[in-house]
Amino acid sequence: MGTVHAKSLDPLPMHGRDLGVHPDDMVELPEPEQESKQEILENKAVVVQHVNVQGLGRTKEDLLGYEISEVFHAKNLIDVMKKSHIARQKLLRLGIFKEVEVLIDTSEGSDALPNGLDVTFEVTEVKRLTGSYNTMVGNNEGSMVLGLKLPNVFGRAEKLTFQFSYGTKETSYGLSFFKPQPGNFERNLILNLYKVTGQFPWSSLKETDRGASAEFNFPLGMTNHTLKWEGVWRELGCLARSASFAVREESGHSLKSALSHTVSIDSRNSAIFPSRGALLRINQELAGYTGGDASFLKEDFELQLNKRLFWDSVLSASLWGGMLCPIGGQPSCIADRFYLGGPTSVRGFGMYSIGPQSEGDYLGGEAYWAGGLHLYTPLPFRPGKGGFGDLFRTHFFLNAGNLCNLNYGEGPRAHLQKMAECLRWSYGAGIVLRLGNIARLELNYCVPMGVQSGDRICDGVQFGAGIRFL
């Protein structure tokens, strides 16, 4: 009785020594049972009679039914193998199994059909408690991350995670609970409790946030959506004695309760080095209607287009923008405003050093836009092609943007005029290194232009590290 491992999608041989049958001799075979098994393998019409899962411990069987049910709908052997492979990928995606093996065999027993098949998934569950240690790259900062995870807490792919992060500018710890919908892993609920302490030297500001959040993620057609509520107690203070009076005025405690919605469409083939596809992300945040003393409406978007050209070169265009409108006559908080400038946005300028400032401290703005045009090419002479060299790209760029405060008593034309004034832009070239599929490093030679009074520039070599670049 033959047993087939369905990890590979290579078609099974229809004849040959593995089955002990040659096509020219099939008519002369005296054993009808052997012929019957051969027909099962060759016949396009098969029936999956039983699907078994072996190795379950704390996992509930009803959860797995959603992931493997499509196997019953297979109509031929190749279809069985493909659907079993897809089911295996779905089981691994749940994050509750260390290994998943698939066995396909002919059916046995009194109810066995001549063309019946049994599919068995042999699973190995992950440990009840796992730990992790890694480093994480943020927007021009690095951190060490320690984590403890309790996967599959209640047997239906839930996950409880504790994480501690210590970084160059930020220290945080938090507790999160993840709960997916059975049969629809992309639709899930996440609850968070956290404390974050950050330093923002460009504003001479330090901030401590203690908060809770709940978010619901779900796909809708081609789009992905996130609905989120966040309540956070913020404590702002001065990072240095030399902090400006404008920053000192912002010091103290505040409470923010906000509802937000994010929708995104992402057809890129890679988040770090895309060669084709587009990204559109739109975020809206409304604070003050569910409590707290911060009241505003905040909108921002991100657009990216990528096109492959000749010689493996890629042309990429990006556009960011946003606007914050205070509600109830209250001024906006320095912690809620937008910031612009640095190696991850408008290159050639210091980190977040564009826009309104007071005594050398940058205060952020209530409206901004930034655009970039990039050309990525392989390294000259293609050293390390097909290996380590493919992690690098040559980078030519042109960036522009502006950050300011608007008078909302004026009309849209005045707003557009204000956004077009005092335009900062830069151009340059450099080298880009991909770090896995999560981050990248840039080393660029930058030439800043359109510099305004108070802007801090980086004329020459500039290094950047992060996960989100203009």
Side-chain angles (χ1 to χ4, degrees):
M1 180 170 59
T3 299
V4 179
H5 287 268
K7 283 178 130 178
S8 171
L9 296 184
D10 296 335
L12 291 178
M14 295 297 102
H15 56 78
R17 63 179 183 179
D18 291 338
L19 297 175
V21 180
H22 191 278
D24 297 334
D25 301 332
M26 286 183 63
V27 180
E28 302 177 9
L29 285 176
E31 298 180 9
E33 183 180 354
Q34 183 69 24
E35 182 179 358
S36 176
K37 292 185 178 181
Q38 179 69 15
E39 288 176 354
I40 292 175
L41 292 176
E42 291 185 344
N43 198 336
K44 292 184 178 180
V46 299
V47 176
V48 177
Q49 291 190 261
H50 306 99
V51 177
N52 305 307
V53 181
Q54 298 179 356
L56 294 182
R58 59 187 184 278
T59 304
K60 307 297 183 183
E61 292 184 3
D62 60 319
L63 171 70
L64 306 183
Y66 296 100
E67 311 298 336
I68 64 178
S69 59
E70 283 297 315
V71 177
F72 284 104
H73 300 153
K75 301 301 182 182
N76 56 63
L77 182 60
I78 301 301
D79 199 22
V80 171
M81 296 175 67
K82 289 181 178 179
K83 291 185 182 299
S84 297
H85 176 75
I86 294 173
R88 176 179 179 271
Q89 295 301 110
K90 288 182 177 180
L91 292 175
L92 289 172
R93 182 185 58 175
L94 295 176
I96 60 178
F97 299 121
K98 184 179 180 180
E99 294 179 356
V100 178
E101 297 286 342
V102 186
L103 302 176
I104 302 175
D105 205 348
T106 52
S107 294
E108 289 186 332
S110 58
D111 61 341
L113 299 175
N115 61 343
L117 294 178
D118 289 347
V119 179
T120 302
F121 293 88
E122 296 182 351
V123 301
T124 303
E125 294 183 339
V126 297
K127 297 179 180 178
R128 293 182 179 272
L129 177 64
T130 63
S132 63
Y133 166 80
N134 53 62
T135 56
M136 185 171 62
V137 178
N139 284 329
N140 228 39
E141 69 168 316
S143 58
M144 174 192 68
V145 181
L146 301 175
L148 290 176
K149 296 181 181 179
L150 281 76
N152 208 16
V153 180
F154 302 117
R156 292 185 173 87
E158 305 88 353
K159 180 170 61 177
L160 188 65
T161 304
F162 174 79
Q163 185 168 285
F164 171 77
S165 172
Y166 180 80
T168 53
K169 297 185 181 71
E170 185 177 282
T171 300
S172 67
Y173 56 85
L175 184 68
S176 68
F177 176 74
F178 171 82
K179 168 65 177 176
Q181 177 182 330
N184 195 339
F185 190 76
E186 291 82 6
R187 182 176 295 177
N188 53 71
L189 176 68
I190 303 177
L191 306 177
N192 292 294
L193 292 172
Y194 61 87
K195 178 182 178 181
V196 182
T197 301
Q199 299 181 354
F200 310 98
W202 48 85
S203 301
S204 298
L205 181 74
K206 62 180 179 180
E207 178 180 354
T208 300
D209 293 346
R210 304 171 180 86
S213 67
E215 62 181 80
F216 177 55
N217 301 287
F218 61 97
L220 185 61
M222 297 178 59
T223 62
N224 291 301
H225 296 256
T226 298
L227 294 174
K228 182 178 181 179
W229 170 84
E230 182 179 33
V232 54
W233 168 27
R234 304 183 295 192
E235 181 181 357
L236 304 180
C238 297
L239 190 59
R241 293 183 178 181
S242 58
S244 64
F245 181 73
V247 173
R248 294 179 184 275
E249 278 188 316
E250 299 275 0
S251 298
H253 298 264
S254 66
L255 182 63
K256 184 182 83 167
S257 177
L259 297 171
S260 65
H261 170 250
T262 302
V263 56
S264 63
I265 305 175
D266 192 353
S267 61
R268 299 173 300 171
N269 60 336
S270 170
I272 304 301
F273 275 172
S275 59
R276 65 177 185 275
L279 166 70
L280 175 62
R281 182 181 292 114
I282 302 173
N283 181 73
Q284 306 93 28
E285 182 180 4
L286 178 62
Y289 277 77
T290 53
D293 50 21
S295 298
F296 61 83
L297 175 64
K298 189 175 183 179
E299 301 267 352
D300 64 279
F301 74 91
E302 176 182 356
L303 175 65
Q304 184 186 100
L305 304 173
N306 303 280
K307 176 68 175 177
R308 184 189 293 273
L309 303 178
F310 48 85
W311 297 328
D312 290 334
S313 60
V314 177
L315 183 65
S316 178
S318 301
L319 181 64
W320 297 355
M323 183 177 294
L324 185 150
C325 180
I327 298 175
Q330 298 183 10
S332 60
C333 176
I334 190 173
D336 296 319
R337 298 176 195 142
F338 299 106
Y339 291 82
L340 188 64
T344 61
S345 56
V346 182
R347 297 160 178 84
F349 290 82
M351 194 70 179
Y352 300 140
S353 61
I354 290 178
Q357 56 95 23
S358 175
E359 303 175 35
D361 293 333
Y362 295 92
L363 307 178
E366 295 177 351
Y368 88 102
W369 70 271
L373 190 64
H374 306 263
L375 178 64
Y376 299 97
T377 66
L379 293 177
F381 309 111
R382 303 297 294 269
K385 182 179 179 181
F388 185 70
D390 288 343
L391 300 179
F392 293 85
R393 291 286 189 277
T394 306
H395 177 217
F396 304 91
F397 67 88
L398 174 65
N399 295 156
N402 192 15
L403 176 75
C404 62
N405 292 317
L406 300 178
N407 183 351
Y408 290 100
E410 301 174 344
R413 180 174 298 180
H415 293 169
L416 292 175
Q417 183 177 356
K418 184 72 176 293
M419 295 291 287
E421 293 176 352
C422 306
L423 177 67
R424 285 87 161 175
W425 62 285
S426 64
Y427 64 92
I431 300 293
V432 182
L433 168 63
R434 175 171 60 87
L435 298 177
N437 290 316
I438 57 173
R440 79 186 202 189
L441 306 179
E442 287 190 4
L443 185 64
N444 296 313
Y445 186 88
C446 309
V447 181
M449 306 292 289
V451 181
Q452 305 297 317
S453 176
D455 291 347
R456 188 177 298 133
I457 64 171
C458 183
D459 190 359
V461 178
Q462 187 178 41
F463 174 78
I467 56 177
R468 181 174 178 257
F469 283 80
L470 178 66

